Amino acid sequence: MPFLQRHHRPVQRGLTDLSEPSARWGLNATLYTDASNGELTDPAARRFRPWPREDGFLYSHYQLLALHALEWTLAAMSASRSQDGPPIWHIALPQPMLVHEAARIRALAVVLEVLAPRYRPRIMRTIHDPDQRLYDHINDRDPSAEHQLLALTPELYWRQAEHLLLAAKNFDPLGKWHRVARVGAPGRWKDLRFDALLANEHRVAAEHLLDFYEDLAERGHAPALPPLNEQWWGARHDRLRVEVRERAETLMDFRLTDRRAVVLGLEGETEMEVVARVLDVLGIDPHSDLVRLVNLHSVDGDVRLLARAVATPRLDPAGHRGARLLSPLTGLIIAVDPEKKYATSVQQAQQRDGMIDSVLRSLPKSLRTPAMRADLGQLIHVRTWGTHSFEFAHYTDRQLAAALRRQASVVSPNIAELKAQLADCRARGGNIEKVWKPWAPQLTKPRLAETMWPELERRITTATSRGSRAPVVQIVREAIDLALRTRAVRELAVTAP
């Protein structure tokens, strides 16, 4: 049944008590004029007449909520042939239940049209043709005008809203994926299709009623809504109003965030190039959400600042048994040569403790607990390539000498002398750059890494224990394992049950 019918002449007494068109009502100024002139009627209040040739019927957006119920009516229709026209459709007298449902949804559309000017802009976060009166009306939390006009019991709004939410859950083809639609921008809900769109419209309608009820309760016209059960599902769990924590958990549950699970801090260009290639050989896309490489540019890079930037978790202290994550965790591994402030295992532990303390101090005081520090210790690590620098840790003196000879050509010493220089540099814990420092033109570590890569790739791809023991492979695999473990974490500093 149409929502309103517009006539081209007065058919009843005009409504002279209408005020100036206001933002409080969902009708535009033209409809106000029609109603004042007696040219606007309610089809439900008039006797049935055959459908007129001219179009004078107006419908409410909220009458589309009846579409799902109409499936039963459409299924009961049958058609017969006509001699010179379209098929003639037939339907038996509808069951009382269907008639009641159609009347209920039309009555619901009336209620929603009254509430829409105030509540729909809040839900959809969109205002069409705004003016100051409309802003004032939307921001006003006093629902007395709507309450007086509708004259319904407050409990009816609450129960009707839960009925809409339950109906949406029953036929929504998205299933649990509707959680993703809920946290999306309301402006994109129109991109849903078919029953998914209709189910979302049910939730939008329910939100009108629940928002209105809450405003009534705030003004003392109704008791407050009972709190939601944290253990059992209830209809109001599917409300379109999404809290920060629920939004965060949805993004994590459906892997909709590209925050990297682990940041691997590397000393320089050589390590960045080689580790990226190792990830590729191991089948890890360097642009995936597992591992991100960060260039420290030297062993003196500020790792505490890096730790605060990438490894400080976003937490809600009120978790189930600990602090609940509001975004995925990011672990941090620093991989450097064993020199300067990383020269010994004691110094490496000091650097790791410094990073953990830096992250811990970035959290609220209530979360700076021993349990939280222990959990951060599972996320932050310092690693070296063993007892030697990167090049000496992965290649023999002979392999390095041959590669240097190929790069330097005639300006380098002979192979035996070069091997001796490399052995001496290795024994002293020196940097390989000292070996070619007297040469001209100067060589670079990235060029050396490029030359040596085929040998390292062969070791990695060959199924031997020697290849798996390469320090760079061990550290990369540790980073991947840490990334997979952090993805499953939802709370930190969990206490015993």
Side-chain angles (χ1 to χ4, degrees):
M1 184 180 296
F3 198 71
L4 294 171
Q5 184 175 7
R6 177 186 283 159
H7 305 269
H8 298 293
R9 58 182 177 81
V11 295
Q12 65 179 13
R13 182 180 176 182
L15 303 178
T16 58
D17 58 343
L18 283 179
S19 60
E20 184 70 17
S22 166
R24 189 174 65 190
W25 311 106
L27 306 177
N28 59 33
T30 302
L31 295 183
Y32 268 89
T33 303
D34 293 342
S36 300
N37 295 335
E39 298 176 4
L40 198 67
T41 62
D42 179 2
R46 294 170 60 84
R47 295 182 61 184
F48 172 77
R49 293 181 179 181
W51 200 270
R53 293 183 178 181
E54 62 275 5
D55 182 13
F57 289 121
L58 303 174
Y59 292 86
S60 165
H61 173 85
Y62 300 102
Q63 288 182 270
L64 295 174
L65 297 174
L67 286 176
H68 195 260
L70 284 177
E71 290 182 4
W72 303 100
T73 303
L74 295 175
M77 295 178 68
S78 61
S80 61
R81 293 179 177 272
S82 62
Q83 300 221 345
D84 52 357
I88 300 175
W89 289 92
H90 308 274
I91 184 170
L93 186 67
Q95 297 179 6
M97 180 186 68
L98 294 178
V99 176
H100 173 75
E101 180 68 7
R104 183 189 69 82
I105 292 180
R106 189 176 188 279
L108 174 62
V110 173
V111 173
L112 294 172
E113 284 290 352
V114 172
L115 300 180
R118 188 192 301 272
Y119 295 100
R120 189 172 183 85
R122 299 183 193 176
I123 299 166
M124 305 302 294
R125 288 177 254 171
T126 301
I127 300 177
H128 297 288
D129 300 325
D131 59 29
Q132 189 58 48
R133 291 182 304 170
L134 181 56
Y135 284 126
D136 293 341
H137 179 66
I138 294 170
N139 294 329
D140 184 7
R141 306 296 300 191
D142 185 0
S144 300
E146 291 89 345
H147 186 42
Q148 183 178 0
L149 177 64
L150 295 173
L152 299 172
T153 59
E155 185 181 7
L156 183 60
Y157 303 118
W158 166 21
R159 297 303 181 190
Q160 182 61 51
E162 292 199 333
H163 175 80
L164 288 167
L165 292 173
L166 286 170
K169 181 179 178 64
N170 287 335
F171 71 83
D172 190 350
L174 293 180
K176 292 184 178 180
W177 276 91
H178 87 272
R179 292 174 56 196
V180 177
R182 288 170 60 211
V183 304
R188 301 308 303 266
W189 289 340
K190 65 180 183 296
D191 296 331
L192 295 169
R193 290 292 181 268
F194 310 115
D195 277 357
L197 176 60
L198 186 57
N200 195 71
E201 289 294 334
H202 275 62
R203 297 186 179 103
V204 170
E207 200 65 28
H208 282 68
L209 300 174
L210 290 171
D211 281 355
F212 179 50
Y213 185 95
E214 289 173 336
D215 282 350
L216 289 174
E218 187 177 336
R219 292 283 174 167
H221 299 307
L225 288 172
L228 286 171
N229 191 312
E230 295 295 333
Q231 296 181 341
W232 304 100
W233 182 88
R236 285 184 289 128
H237 280 103
D238 279 356
R239 287 188 66 174
L240 292 178
R241 180 188 298 173
V242 181
E243 303 295 335
V244 172
R245 177 166 154 181
E246 184 179 2
R247 173 183 172 80
E249 292 190 354
T250 299
L251 295 178
M252 289 189 288
D253 289 346
F254 289 87
R255 296 289 296 274
L256 299 177
T257 173
D258 59 356
R259 178 164 177 160
R260 305 300 176 91
V262 167
V263 168
L264 183 53
L266 302 169
E267 188 174 338
E269 295 292 340
T270 299
E271 293 81 359
M272 290 286 292
E273 178 65 26
V274 173
V275 171
R277 295 189 181 200
V278 172
L279 284 170
D280 183 60
V281 171
L282 296 180
I284 304 298
D285 186 343
H287 301 294
S288 72
D289 62 350
L290 284 180
V291 181
R292 174 189 173 194
L293 307 182
V294 171
N295 191 343
L296 301 175
H297 293 290
S298 78
V299 76
D300 299 318
D302 190 345
V303 294
R304 297 189 183 189
L305 178 61
L306 178 63
R308 290 197 301 272
V310 305
T312 302
R314 290 181 60 231
L315 298 169
D316 175 4
H320 299 298
R321 292 171 51 202
R324 195 74 174 169
L325 287 176
L326 295 178
S327 62
L329 280 177
T330 298
L332 176 61
I333 298 177
I334 301 298
V336 292
D337 290 344
E339 59 180 358
K340 295 186 178 181
K341 56 186 179 183
Y342 301 97
T344 66
S345 59
V346 174
Q347 291 174 303
Q348 294 161 19
Q350 290 174 344
Q351 292 299 314
R352 176 174 175 267
D353 290 341
M355 288 190 290
I356 294 173
D357 291 338
S358 182
V359 172
L360 195 64
R361 287 194 297 271
S362 300
L363 298 176
K365 288 185 178 181
S366 61
L367 296 178
R368 301 173 192 173
T369 64
M372 181 63 70
R373 195 182 195 286
D375 282 353
L376 293 177
Q378 300 293 319
L379 294 173
I380 300 174
H381 304 276
V382 172
R383 296 288 183 264
T384 64
W385 312 112
T387 57
H388 300 290
S389 62
F390 184 84
E391 292 78 13
F392 288 129
H394 291 90
Y395 307 107
T396 65
D397 294 339
R398 182 177 185 84
Q399 291 171 336
L400 290 170
L404 290 176
R405 287 277 298 174
R406 287 197 298 272
Q407 286 192 28
S409 187
V410 297
V411 300
S412 64
N414 60 51
I415 193 72
E417 183 179 350
L418 189 52
K419 285 175 58 180
Q421 292 180 9
L422 289 167
D424 180 68
C425 185
R426 181 193 295 269
R428 295 174 179 272
N431 193 310
I432 195 172
E433 290 178 322
K434 295 180 180 179
V435 173
W436 64 68
K437 188 175 182 178
W439 303 357
Q442 287 287 307
L443 304 181
T444 63
K445 283 187 175 182
R447 282 184 58 196
L448 177 61
E450 178 75 22
T451 303
M452 300 298 299
W453 170 248
E455 168 61 25
L456 182 59
E457 183 182 26
R458 183 187 60 79
R459 290 168 55 192
I460 296 172
T461 55
T462 302
T464 64
S465 60
R466 183 183 176 190
S468 64
R469 287 200 306 266
V472 66
V473 176
Q474 292 180 344
I475 291 176
V476 168
R477 285 180 174 168
E478 180 183 358
I480 296 171
D481 291 341
L482 179 60
L484 296 176
R485 284 188 281 115
T486 59
R487 277 290 175 256
V489 177
R490 286 293 179 269
E491 289 189 347
L492 293 180
V494 174
T495 57

